[in-house]
Amino acid sequence: MIEILNINERISYIIDNQYNGNQKKFAENIGFSAQVISNIVSGRKSKPSYEVLNAIVSTNVYINSEWLLTGKGDMLKQDLICDKEPKTDYIPLIPIEAMAGKGNNGSVQILQKDIIGGYVIPEFTQRGVEYIIRVSGSSMYPKYSSGDLLGCKTVNDTSFFQWGKIYVLDTDQGPMVKRLFPTDKENVLECRSDNKDYPPFPINKDSIYKIAIVIGVLRLE
């Protein structure tokens, strides 16, 4: 157990240990500006508002709210940890970048250090959801908004796609969420965004390392 008495320091500790010190990423995750977070942890050391604290515990479900508010107990909820492995009915929430982790047959190998939260959703489990990622950006708006949580299932057979469905792709240009369509060129797919400000573009299958189909979405109002 680590005793950090100052609430600003506890928030900084979350950023350092769960977001690799990336304040901007943490701010985006909880829905506040980077400047607000900077003022709390590295600027004026202002006290976090109720809205900030509520956003931290609601978007990072693994964080022990008592620890965050008082410093008592452990940072992580013990009921979400079992010998550092997720429960069998617990679907991990991972950064989209964690898709790049090596796995057999195109699968995603989820490491404990990559897990930033998780959910128990029987409907997702029944449909084979393996992990959940958070949407970043507006390329798939209005279907998905930034902050929405997508339940993903790995696609191992890349000889068949459900054209028009939404997939999460790990590519040589980085991860992305797009609808896939066929082209008249062999081994070339077309990626489309729902936001018309983002034009479609082709991608060669050889440039795709891993693919997951989106099974469902969680949205917080």
Side-chain angles (χ1 to χ4, degrees):
M1 182 185 303
I2 299 175
E3 293 185 4
I4 304 177
L5 300 181
N6 185 295
I7 194 167
N8 302 68
E9 293 176 349
R10 290 195 289 275
I11 293 174
S12 181
Y13 186 76
I14 293 173
I15 295 171
D16 289 342
N17 286 270
Q18 303 300 314
Y19 292 82
N20 295 318
N22 191 328
Q23 291 184 20
K24 181 180 179 181
K25 186 175 180 181
F26 174 76
E28 290 176 348
N29 181 52
I30 68 171
F32 283 82
S33 70
Q35 186 60 51
V36 168
I37 301 306
S38 178
N39 287 340
I40 293 172
V41 300
S42 60
R44 294 176 296 182
K45 302 288 185 180
S46 56
K47 292 298 181 183
S49 66
Y50 168 81
E51 289 76 15
V52 168
L53 295 174
N54 184 61
I56 292 173
V57 297
S58 63
T59 59
N60 300 273
V61 296
Y62 59 97
I63 294 295
N64 180 356
S65 59
E66 182 180 8
W67 176 86
L68 176 63
L69 296 175
T70 68
K72 296 179 180 179
D74 296 309
M75 179 181 71
L76 302 180
K77 291 180 180 179
Q78 295 305 301
D79 59 347
L80 295 183
I81 303 173
C82 180
D83 297 327
K84 296 189 179 297
E85 294 295 333
K87 296 181 179 181
T88 56
D89 58 351
Y90 169 91
I91 304 174
L93 170 65
I94 64 173
I96 190 171
E97 296 82 5
M99 278 189 68
K102 294 181 179 179
N104 296 325
N105 300 320
S107 63
V108 175
Q109 182 179 358
I110 299 173
L111 304 178
Q112 182 65 28
K113 67 181 182 64
D114 292 327
I115 298 176
I116 58 176
Y119 298 85
V120 177
I121 309 171
E123 292 82 1
F124 274 16
T125 301
Q126 291 166 8
R127 298 188 63 186
V129 170
E130 299 166 18
Y131 54 92
I132 296 170
I133 64 165
R134 191 183 303 277
V135 174
S136 177
S138 59
S139 68
M140 294 306 292
Y141 183 84
K143 178 67 174 180
Y144 301 137
S145 299
S146 185
D148 286 352
L149 302 176
L150 306 182
C152 303
K153 181 179 180 180
T154 301
V155 173
N156 294 318
D157 183 4
T158 58
S159 64
F160 171 78
F161 290 99
Q162 299 181 56
W163 302 123
K165 293 290 188 180
I166 299 176
Y167 290 84
V168 181
L169 311 175
D170 173 34
T171 76
D172 57 6
Q173 297 296 313
M176 61 184 73
V177 181
K178 301 295 176 189
R179 294 188 190 273
L180 293 183
F181 292 88
T183 70
D184 55 4
K185 296 182 179 180
E186 186 177 0
N187 290 325
V188 177
L189 307 174
E190 183 176 81
C191 297
R192 297 184 193 174
S193 303
D194 280 14
N195 188 333
K196 301 307 179 185
D197 291 336
Y198 294 78
F201 59 88
I203 186 170
N204 195 294
K205 283 186 179 181
D206 293 337
S207 299
I208 303 174
Y209 304 134
K210 294 182 178 68
I211 302 177
I213 189 170
V214 176
I215 300 297
V217 60
L218 294 176
R219 174 169 295 165
L220 301 177
E221 297 295 342

